[in-house]
Amino acid sequence: MIIAQHTYRTLIEGIPSERLNERIVNDVEELCKRVFFLERCIIIPPTLSPREFRGKSWRALPPVLIAVLFRCLPIRYPGHVYSELAVAWFQSSIEPLISEQILPLIQKLDWARHAKDFTD
């Protein structure tokens, strides 16, 4: 299961503020809970970029939010059916779905520590 959306989809006018950026990042975990039905989502910290518009400066999140529910064989308990882990990140475009900059960060995640086993 995949979520892909514009980072600033709720910004009707103006420029992003630090508070808005913080709220967007903080809301990602709740979004993942609603969509994936998991208690936890690993959020890869975004890199903010300096921007300027009409003499005003701010720091912008990457324009696209991606969240994925990964599923694999059980991590901890062999009697379980599968493991799941929700991971979210921000990147510059929708394609490729997992950018070259993000892939190594996903691969470094401690799946055994963060994934949850299920029996269904």
PDB file of all heavy atoms in Angstrom, residues 22-40:
ATOM      1  N   GLU A  22       6.739  21.857  10.497  1.00  0.00           N
ATOM      2  CA  GLU A  22       6.723  20.974  11.662  1.00  0.00           C
ATOM      3  C   GLU A  22       5.392  20.226  11.760  1.00  0.00           C
ATOM      4  O   GLU A  22       5.361  19.022  12.026  1.00  0.00           O
ATOM      5  CB  GLU A  22       6.965  21.794  12.929  1.00  0.00           C
ATOM      6  CG  GLU A  22       7.134  20.961  14.169  1.00  0.00           C
ATOM      7  CD  GLU A  22       7.464  21.830  15.375  1.00  0.00           C
ATOM      8  OE1 GLU A  22       8.401  22.645  15.282  1.00  0.00           O
ATOM      9  OE2 GLU A  22       6.758  21.696  16.391  1.00  0.00           O
ATOM     10  N   ARG A  23       4.293  20.921  11.523  1.00  0.00           N
ATOM     11  CA  ARG A  23       2.983  20.283  11.577  1.00  0.00           C
ATOM     12  C   ARG A  23       2.837  19.205  10.504  1.00  0.00           C
ATOM     13  O   ARG A  23       2.310  18.118  10.749  1.00  0.00           O
ATOM     14  CB  ARG A  23       1.871  21.312  11.433  1.00  0.00           C
ATOM     15  CG  ARG A  23       0.500  20.692  11.757  1.00  0.00           C
ATOM     16  CD  ARG A  23      -0.627  21.665  11.594  1.00  0.00           C
ATOM     17  NE  ARG A  23      -1.008  21.608  10.179  1.00  0.00           N
ATOM     18  CZ  ARG A  23      -1.423  22.634   9.466  1.00  0.00           C
ATOM     19  NH1 ARG A  23      -1.516  23.821   9.995  1.00  0.00           N
ATOM     20  NH2 ARG A  23      -1.755  22.500   8.205  1.00  0.00           N
ATOM     21  N   ILE A  24       3.315  19.496   9.296  1.00  0.00           N
ATOM     22  CA  ILE A  24       3.239  18.523   8.202  1.00  0.00           C
ATOM     23  C   ILE A  24       3.999  17.250   8.577  1.00  0.00           C
ATOM     24  O   ILE A  24       3.482  16.142   8.438  1.00  0.00           O
ATOM     25  CB  ILE A  24       3.773  19.127   6.884  1.00  0.00           C
ATOM     26  CG1 ILE A  24       2.780  20.167   6.351  1.00  0.00           C
ATOM     27  CG2 ILE A  24       4.027  18.041   5.842  1.00  0.00           C
ATOM     28  CD1 ILE A  24       3.312  21.012   5.211  1.00  0.00           C
ATOM     29  N   VAL A  25       5.215  17.404   9.066  1.00  0.00           N
ATOM     30  CA  VAL A  25       6.019  16.232   9.441  1.00  0.00           C
ATOM     31  C   VAL A  25       5.358  15.487  10.597  1.00  0.00           C
ATOM     32  O   VAL A  25       5.262  14.254  10.582  1.00  0.00           O
ATOM     33  CB  VAL A  25       7.466  16.636   9.784  1.00  0.00           C
ATOM     34  CG1 VAL A  25       8.251  15.458  10.335  1.00  0.00           C
ATOM     35  CG2 VAL A  25       8.173  17.209   8.548  1.00  0.00           C
ATOM     36  N   ASN A  26       4.872  16.208  11.585  1.00  0.00           N
ATOM     37  CA  ASN A  26       4.230  15.566  12.736  1.00  0.00           C
ATOM     38  C   ASN A  26       2.933  14.842  12.353  1.00  0.00           C
ATOM     39  O   ASN A  26       2.566  13.861  12.992  1.00  0.00           O
ATOM     40  CB  ASN A  26       3.940  16.581  13.841  1.00  0.00           C
ATOM     41  CG  ASN A  26       5.198  17.067  14.508  1.00  0.00           C
ATOM     42  OD1 ASN A  26       6.249  16.418  14.455  1.00  0.00           O
ATOM     43  ND2 ASN A  26       5.125  18.218  15.141  1.00  0.00           N
ATOM     44  N   ASP A  27       2.239  15.318  11.338  1.00  0.00           N
ATOM     45  CA  ASP A  27       0.979  14.701  10.915  1.00  0.00           C
ATOM     46  C   ASP A  27       1.176  13.415  10.102  1.00  0.00           C
ATOM     47  O   ASP A  27       0.225  12.656   9.903  1.00  0.00           O
ATOM     48  CB  ASP A  27       0.138  15.680  10.096  1.00  0.00           C
ATOM     49  CG  ASP A  27      -0.484  16.777  10.943  1.00  0.00           C
ATOM     50  OD1 ASP A  27      -0.449  16.664  12.198  1.00  0.00           O
ATOM     51  OD2 ASP A  27      -0.999  17.754  10.354  1.00  0.00           O
ATOM     52  N   VAL A  28       2.385  13.163   9.644  1.00  0.00           N
ATOM     53  CA  VAL A  28       2.639  11.981   8.817  1.00  0.00           C
ATOM     54  C   VAL A  28       2.340  10.696   9.586  1.00  0.00           C
ATOM     55  O   VAL A  28       1.713   9.775   9.051  1.00  0.00           O
ATOM     56  CB  VAL A  28       4.096  11.971   8.280  1.00  0.00           C
ATOM     57  CG1 VAL A  28       4.431  10.641   7.631  1.00  0.00           C
ATOM     58  CG2 VAL A  28       4.298  13.113   7.298  1.00  0.00           C
ATOM     59  N   GLU A  29       2.734  10.626  10.836  1.00  0.00           N
ATOM     60  CA  GLU A  29       2.502   9.409  11.599  1.00  0.00           C
ATOM     61  C   GLU A  29       0.997   9.143  11.755  1.00  0.00           C
ATOM     62  O   GLU A  29       0.545   8.006  11.615  1.00  0.00           O
ATOM     63  CB  GLU A  29       3.175   9.472  12.961  1.00  0.00           C
ATOM     64  CG  GLU A  29       3.136   8.133  13.665  1.00  0.00           C
ATOM     65  CD  GLU A  29       4.150   8.013  14.777  1.00  0.00           C
ATOM     66  OE1 GLU A  29       4.895   8.973  15.040  1.00  0.00           O
ATOM     67  OE2 GLU A  29       4.182   6.939  15.374  1.00  0.00           O
ATOM     68  N   GLU A  30       0.224  10.175  12.009  1.00  0.00           N
ATOM     69  CA  GLU A  30      -1.225  10.006  12.136  1.00  0.00           C
ATOM     70  C   GLU A  30      -1.837   9.572  10.803  1.00  0.00           C
ATOM     71  O   GLU A  30      -2.743   8.736  10.767  1.00  0.00           O
ATOM     72  CB  GLU A  30      -1.869  11.309  12.625  1.00  0.00           C
ATOM     73  CG  GLU A  30      -3.333  11.167  12.957  1.00  0.00           C
ATOM     74  CD  GLU A  30      -3.631  10.143  14.036  1.00  0.00           C
ATOM     75  OE1 GLU A  30      -2.840  10.016  14.994  1.00  0.00           O
ATOM     76  OE2 GLU A  30      -4.666   9.453  13.916  1.00  0.00           O
ATOM     77  N   LEU A  31      -1.362  10.125   9.700  1.00  0.00           N
ATOM     78  CA  LEU A  31      -1.824   9.725   8.373  1.00  0.00           C
ATOM     79  C   LEU A  31      -1.567   8.237   8.157  1.00  0.00           C
ATOM     80  O   LEU A  31      -2.448   7.497   7.709  1.00  0.00           O
ATOM     81  CB  LEU A  31      -1.122  10.556   7.296  1.00  0.00           C
ATOM     82  CG  LEU A  31      -1.351  10.142   5.850  1.00  0.00           C
ATOM     83  CD1 LEU A  31      -2.794  10.395   5.444  1.00  0.00           C
ATOM     84  CD2 LEU A  31      -0.386  10.876   4.931  1.00  0.00           C
ATOM     85  N   CYS A  32      -0.373   7.784   8.502  1.00  0.00           N
ATOM     86  CA  CYS A  32      -0.029   6.367   8.340  1.00  0.00           C
ATOM     87  C   CYS A  32      -0.897   5.481   9.227  1.00  0.00           C
ATOM     88  O   CYS A  32      -1.320   4.405   8.801  1.00  0.00           O
ATOM     89  CB  CYS A  32       1.450   6.135   8.646  1.00  0.00           C
ATOM     90  SG  CYS A  32       2.549   6.818   7.393  1.00  0.00           S
ATOM     91  N   LYS A  33      -1.183   5.922  10.433  1.00  0.00           N
ATOM     92  CA  LYS A  33      -2.056   5.150  11.330  1.00  0.00           C
ATOM     93  C   LYS A  33      -3.438   4.974  10.713  1.00  0.00           C
ATOM     94  O   LYS A  33      -4.014   3.887  10.751  1.00  0.00           O
ATOM     95  CB  LYS A  33      -2.188   5.852  12.687  1.00  0.00           C
ATOM     96  CG  LYS A  33      -0.997   5.711  13.579  1.00  0.00           C
ATOM     97  CD  LYS A  33      -1.243   6.453  14.889  1.00  0.00           C
ATOM     98  CE  LYS A  33      -0.006   6.446  15.757  1.00  0.00           C
ATOM     99  NZ  LYS A  33      -0.226   7.188  17.017  1.00  0.00           N
ATOM    100  N   ARG A  34      -3.985   6.050  10.155  1.00  0.00           N
ATOM    101  CA  ARG A  34      -5.326   5.983   9.555  1.00  0.00           C
ATOM    102  C   ARG A  34      -5.364   5.093   8.315  1.00  0.00           C
ATOM    103  O   ARG A  34      -6.313   4.350   8.105  1.00  0.00           O
ATOM    104  CB  ARG A  34      -5.799   7.391   9.179  1.00  0.00           C
ATOM    105  CG  ARG A  34      -6.256   8.224  10.328  1.00  0.00           C
ATOM    106  CD  ARG A  34      -6.998   9.481   9.865  1.00  0.00           C
ATOM    107  NE  ARG A  34      -6.491  10.123   8.679  1.00  0.00           N
ATOM    108  CZ  ARG A  34      -5.588  11.122   8.667  1.00  0.00           C
ATOM    109  NH1 ARG A  34      -5.097  11.585   9.799  1.00  0.00           N
ATOM    110  NH2 ARG A  34      -5.196  11.657   7.539  1.00  0.00           N
ATOM    111  N   VAL A  35      -4.339   5.181   7.495  1.00  0.00           N
ATOM    112  CA  VAL A  35      -4.349   4.456   6.227  1.00  0.00           C
ATOM    113  C   VAL A  35      -3.863   3.015   6.373  1.00  0.00           C
ATOM    114  O   VAL A  35      -4.444   2.092   5.812  1.00  0.00           O
ATOM    115  CB  VAL A  35      -3.505   5.206   5.164  1.00  0.00           C
ATOM    116  CG1 VAL A  35      -3.399   4.402   3.883  1.00  0.00           C
ATOM    117  CG2 VAL A  35      -4.102   6.574   4.888  1.00  0.00           C
ATOM    118  N   PHE A  36      -2.789   2.819   7.139  1.00  0.00           N
ATOM    119  CA  PHE A  36      -2.181   1.495   7.246  1.00  0.00           C
ATOM    120  C   PHE A  36      -2.633   0.696   8.463  1.00  0.00           C
ATOM    121  O   PHE A  36      -2.300  -0.473   8.591  1.00  0.00           O
ATOM    122  CB  PHE A  36      -0.649   1.622   7.280  1.00  0.00           C
ATOM    123  CG  PHE A  36      -0.057   2.296   6.077  1.00  0.00           C
ATOM    124  CD1 PHE A  36       1.025   3.151   6.223  1.00  0.00           C
ATOM    125  CD2 PHE A  36      -0.552   2.095   4.808  1.00  0.00           C
ATOM    126  CE1 PHE A  36       1.606   3.773   5.130  1.00  0.00           C
ATOM    127  CE2 PHE A  36       0.012   2.713   3.700  1.00  0.00           C
ATOM    128  CZ  PHE A  36       1.094   3.556   3.862  1.00  0.00           C
ATOM    129  N   PHE A  37      -3.332   1.324   9.382  1.00  0.00           N
ATOM    130  CA  PHE A  37      -3.805   0.667  10.609  1.00  0.00           C
ATOM    131  C   PHE A  37      -2.652   0.098  11.437  1.00  0.00           C
ATOM    132  O   PHE A  37      -2.761  -0.990  12.002  1.00  0.00           O
ATOM    133  CB  PHE A  37      -4.831  -0.432  10.298  1.00  0.00           C
ATOM    134  CG  PHE A  37      -6.014   0.066   9.539  1.00  0.00           C
ATOM    135  CD1 PHE A  37      -6.152  -0.203   8.190  1.00  0.00           C
ATOM    136  CD2 PHE A  37      -6.978   0.833  10.164  1.00  0.00           C
ATOM    137  CE1 PHE A  37      -7.242   0.266   7.472  1.00  0.00           C
ATOM    138  CE2 PHE A  37      -8.078   1.310   9.459  1.00  0.00           C
ATOM    139  CZ  PHE A  37      -8.201   1.022   8.113  1.00  0.00           C
ATOM    140  N   LEU A  38      -1.555   0.826  11.490  1.00  0.00           N
ATOM    141  CA  LEU A  38      -0.410   0.442  12.314  1.00  0.00           C
ATOM    142  C   LEU A  38      -0.188   1.499  13.383  1.00  0.00           C
ATOM    143  O   LEU A  38      -0.468   2.673  13.173  1.00  0.00           O
ATOM    144  CB  LEU A  38       0.867   0.313  11.474  1.00  0.00           C
ATOM    145  CG  LEU A  38       1.003  -0.924  10.604  1.00  0.00           C
ATOM    146  CD1 LEU A  38       2.325  -0.879   9.841  1.00  0.00           C
ATOM    147  CD2 LEU A  38       0.930  -2.195  11.416  1.00  0.00           C
ATOM    148  N   GLU A  39       0.337   1.080  14.510  1.00  0.00           N
ATOM    149  CA  GLU A  39       0.590   2.003  15.610  1.00  0.00           C
ATOM    150  C   GLU A  39       1.737   2.961  15.319  1.00  0.00           C
ATOM    151  O   GLU A  39       1.800   4.048  15.870  1.00  0.00           O
ATOM    152  CB  GLU A  39       0.951   1.217  16.874  1.00  0.00           C
ATOM    153  CG  GLU A  39      -0.131   0.299  17.357  1.00  0.00           C
ATOM    154  CD  GLU A  39       0.364  -0.652  18.435  1.00  0.00           C
ATOM    155  OE1 GLU A  39       1.460  -0.426  18.980  1.00  0.00           O
ATOM    156  OE2 GLU A  39      -0.348  -1.619  18.710  1.00  0.00           O
ATOM    157  N   ARG A  40       2.644   2.553  14.448  1.00  0.00           N
ATOM    158  CA  ARG A  40       3.869   3.314  14.278  1.00  0.00           C
ATOM    159  C   ARG A  40       4.273   3.417  12.815  1.00  0.00           C
ATOM    160  O   ARG A  40       4.047   2.500  12.037  1.00  0.00           O
ATOM    161  CB  ARG A  40       4.978   2.603  15.055  1.00  0.00           C
ATOM    162  CG  ARG A  40       6.253   3.348  15.071  1.00  0.00           C
ATOM    163  CD  ARG A  40       7.142   2.826  16.170  1.00  0.00           C
ATOM    164  NE  ARG A  40       8.314   3.672  16.193  1.00  0.00           N
ATOM    165  CZ  ARG A  40       9.530   3.220  16.268  1.00  0.00           C
ATOM    166  NH1 ARG A  40       9.748   1.949  16.381  1.00  0.00           N
ATOM    167  NH2 ARG A  40      10.547   4.048  16.262  1.00  0.00           N
TER     168      ARG A  40
END
